[in-house]
Amino acid sequence: MIWNPDYESLPPDGLKRLQDERLGTLVDMLYRRVAFFRTKMDASGIKPGDIRGIGDLARLPFTTKDELRSGYPFELLAVDLREIVEIHTSSGTTGKPVVDAYTAGDLDTWAEAMARTLSAGGATRHDIVQNAYGYGLFTGGLGVHYGARRIGATVLPISGGNTKRQVELLRDFGTTVLTCTPSYALYLAEALREEGMKPRDMGLRAGFFGAEPWSDTMRSEIQASLGLAAYDIYGLTEIIGPGVAFECERQDGLHVNEDLFYPEIVDPETGRVLPDGQKGELVITTLTKQGTPILRYRTRDITYLDRTPCPCGRTTVRMHRLLGRTDDMLIVRGVNVFPSQIEEVILAIEGVEPHYQIIVDRRNQLDSLEVQVEMTEGLFSDEIRDLERTEKLIESRLYGTLNIHSRVKLVEPKTIARSEGKAKRILDKRQI
Ligand code: DLL
């Protein structure tokens, strides 16, 4: 079902007019209210009057994650703090997190964007939505929650984890819609199987999965094991959270909420805008956001755009499911992990060398993180007890930094391959 045909099925010229108008208002507002954007526009010799529409967008400077971080916590606010009613931040990044500050109007937009997302997969007020995305500063839980409320569905706000309880709820409440990360969906499927529950015994009809990379193979597995239609949903904290783009019943590319978020694809090296169909880095401009609007945000996510009409009746552009990232950020169990964070922890420990390897795998349908670290000759000649103590110490420090559990294995000196160029420290064995 199309939640809001007035916007989702606008004829292309009407959509373009709306985008032109909204971009003009945005640029004008950012120039007046946010010193960070004013300084950047001044540096590029651009005045708000120069931007007459989307056709001029490429003249505006990009915004990067580092810039957002350096504006922590409130430097990029475009309204008075009193107007902000809710704040979310990005998870486990190096240094400061990125802050998304929402006005009441932004929460309304978010609910709208997520209502469209859930409706596209056929969810309605008759559904019972088991929301197993994490509630809290992470945008997944509350984003889905607001959208489910907007369409009038019944929400079970169970949040992530606690698999036994998830199984119980699913059975007792007759859950019809499941929302969580795709890896957790598979894990849950396994738990249900162990309880002797078959897909046909469950009432599940649809699932909305995102926040981490997954593939069509994984989709088939999820659909078969849970007996539902699995939809890919995309978003990021910097822009709004989930609700940026979503699949319709065709499951063939993600419709971008284009009246709210304008997508471009650029060459990650040169920043040049690429034509539709060409792979590159997704760049997003928020067209209506009030609290923390952003110009041309470099997402580092790799995809391409497809403007061919979709039989579903939406006229919005589709982005292909994500093909990767330009940086080396790992997403483990939905949490962003940067290798540099791991390195920092390791380098502060005595008895180990700065040679390590990060191994990410998927065991029992759940991501696992293992860190192999070379020990010094000194530690190598110590008692086993001492080695175990060091392993546990690193594990607990890593947990403190990353907020997810990892396994640390000390290996003998000189056993980790050295590299002459860029070190290849990450081994991602997940088959996705
Ligand atoms: O993960 C927002 C979200 C929540 C999306 C729930 C979908 C569902 P962040 O924690 O800021 O926000 O992480 C954003 O996650 O730049 C992508 O690299 C990755 N990501 C998000 N959705 C997908 C997806 C939320 N469908 C980062 N496929 C993004 C692959 C995804 N990667």
Side-chain angles (χ1 to χ4, degrees):
M1 193 196 100
I2 302 183
W3 175 255
N4 195 340
D6 285 351
Y7 289 96
E8 295 179 78
S9 304
L10 263 177
D13 54 336
L15 180 60
K16 169 132 192 334
R17 255 200 315 277
L18 186 69
Q19 290 169 332
D20 286 345
E21 199 181 290
R22 288 181 168 176
L23 179 67
T25 312
L26 170 80
V27 169
D28 193 52
M29 190 249 291
L30 286 178
Y31 193 82
R32 280 187 292 112
R33 299 202 196 145
V34 188
F36 166 79
F37 287 109
R38 183 167 52 243
T39 311
K40 283 187 71 163
M41 283 169 63
D42 282 343
S44 335
I46 292 168
K47 292 274 169 281
D50 300 338
I51 307 300
R52 279 183 296 273
I54 295 291
D56 296 318
L57 186 59
R59 299 177 58 192
L60 290 162
F62 292 119
T63 307
T64 65
K65 191 174 192 120
D66 286 341
E67 288 174 327
L68 296 188
R69 271 200 211 122
S70 63
Y72 177 89
F74 294 135
E75 221 168 279
L76 279 104
L77 240 62
V79 296
D80 193 281
L81 192 52
R82 279 171 303 189
E83 301 293 318
I84 299 299
V85 297
E86 189 167 314
I87 288 173
H88 289 269
T89 70
S90 62
S91 57
T93 49
T94 35
K96 298 291 185 196
V98 170
V99 176
D100 192 353
Y102 303 68
T103 64
D106 290 331
L107 288 189
D108 195 58
T109 303
W110 201 11
E112 160 78 20
M114 283 308 296
R116 295 181 192 175
T117 301
L118 297 171
S119 301
T124 68
R125 55 193 292 271
H126 300 293
D127 280 298
I128 297 185
V129 179
Q130 184 158 335
N131 187 12
Y133 281 114
Y135 279 68
L137 287 171
F138 175 57
T139 54
L142 281 161
V144 168
H145 190 99
Y146 295 141
R149 286 275 315 270
R150 178 64 56 96
I151 64 170
T154 307
V155 195
L156 299 172
I158 182 164
S159 196
N162 204 345
T163 308
K164 207 164 158 280
R165 198 82 201 281
Q166 301 272 1
V167 171
E168 221 171 82
L169 240 68
L170 208 127
R171 185 198 297 127
D172 299 345
F173 289 83
T175 301
T176 55
V177 169
L178 175 67
T179 55
C180 59
T181 58
S183 56
Y184 193 64
L186 278 177
Y187 183 53
L188 199 56
E190 194 181 60
L192 287 160
R193 210 163 32 241
E194 277 165 12
E195 289 287 310
M197 285 174 75
K198 305 225 163 41
R200 64 165 185 277
D201 305 330
M202 309 175 219
L204 287 172
R205 297 194 308 108
F208 297 86
F209 307 116
E212 65 181 2
W214 58 309
S215 61
D216 270 328
T217 323
M218 194 155 157
R219 188 210 302 269
S220 310
E221 229 175 293
I222 293 175
Q223 295 192 146
S225 57
L226 288 172
L228 46 66
Y231 298 100
D232 193 4
I233 66 173
Y234 170 77
L236 58 166
T237 314
E238 295 87 326
I239 299 302
I240 199 155
V244 173
F246 56 83
E247 283 183 331
C248 64
E249 71 272 11
R250 317 284 306 191
Q251 297 177 316
D252 184 19
L254 288 81
H255 288 274
V256 180
N257 272 318
E258 241 192 306
D259 56 315
L260 308 173
F261 313 108
Y262 190 84
E264 297 170 276
I265 300 292
V266 306
D267 180 325
E269 302 293 324
T270 63
R272 196 172 55 87
V273 179
L274 298 174
D276 292 344
Q278 261 192 47
K279 250 190 259 173
E281 180 178 353
L282 177 67
V283 169
I284 305 177
T285 297
T286 63
L287 292 176
T288 61
K289 219 160 148 213
Q290 302 169 339
T292 41
I294 301 196
L295 274 185
R296 306 192 80 205
Y297 181 64
R298 302 279 301 246
T299 65
R300 304 185 189 182
D301 290 322
I302 305 288
T303 182
Y304 59 86
L305 298 179
D306 177 5
R307 260 174 238 277
T308 54
C310 182
C312 76
R314 288 174 188 80
T315 50
T316 45
V317 68
R318 280 173 289 163
M319 57 178 249
H320 188 271
R321 65 160 59 234
L322 288 198
L323 300 161
R325 290 186 54 84
T326 59
D327 57 15
D328 56 1
M329 182 182 88
L330 288 164
I331 302 181
V332 182
R333 280 171 245 147
V335 174
N336 301 349
V337 174
F338 285 85
S340 53
Q341 292 175 289
I342 297 177
E343 186 171 297
E344 248 174 56
V345 168
I346 294 171
L347 296 188
I349 304 272
E350 257 188 52
V352 300
E353 301 281 358
H355 299 294
Y356 61 93
Q357 182 154 49
I358 300 164
I359 302 162
V360 191
D361 206 346
R362 191 158 277 160
R363 271 182 226 138
N364 300 326
Q365 317 292 17
L366 206 62
D367 291 341
S368 65
L369 179 65
E370 182 181 296
V371 184
Q372 298 188 347
V373 193
E374 264 187 23
M375 54 189 141
T376 57
E377 295 284 356
L379 188 65
F380 186 39
S381 55
D382 277 357
E383 306 266 352
I384 285 278
R385 238 192 358 251
D386 295 317
L387 305 190
E388 284 174 351
R389 200 178 303 133
T390 306
E391 285 176 348
K392 291 281 163 268
L393 174 67
I394 306 176
E395 277 175 9
S396 78
R397 294 256 180 101
L398 282 175
Y399 183 76
T401 303
L402 307 173
N403 244 309
I404 54 167
H405 287 287
S406 56
R407 194 178 120 70
V408 171
K409 204 166 142 190
L410 290 177
V411 297
E412 291 180 21
K414 308 267 177 317
T415 46
I416 287 176
R418 307 292 197 258
S419 147
E420 283 177 2
K422 279 183 193 293
K424 213 170 157 22
R425 296 218 163 91
I426 303 160
L427 190 60
D428 198 339
K429 296 185 180 168
R430 289 175 292 190
Q431 302 277 314
I432 61 148

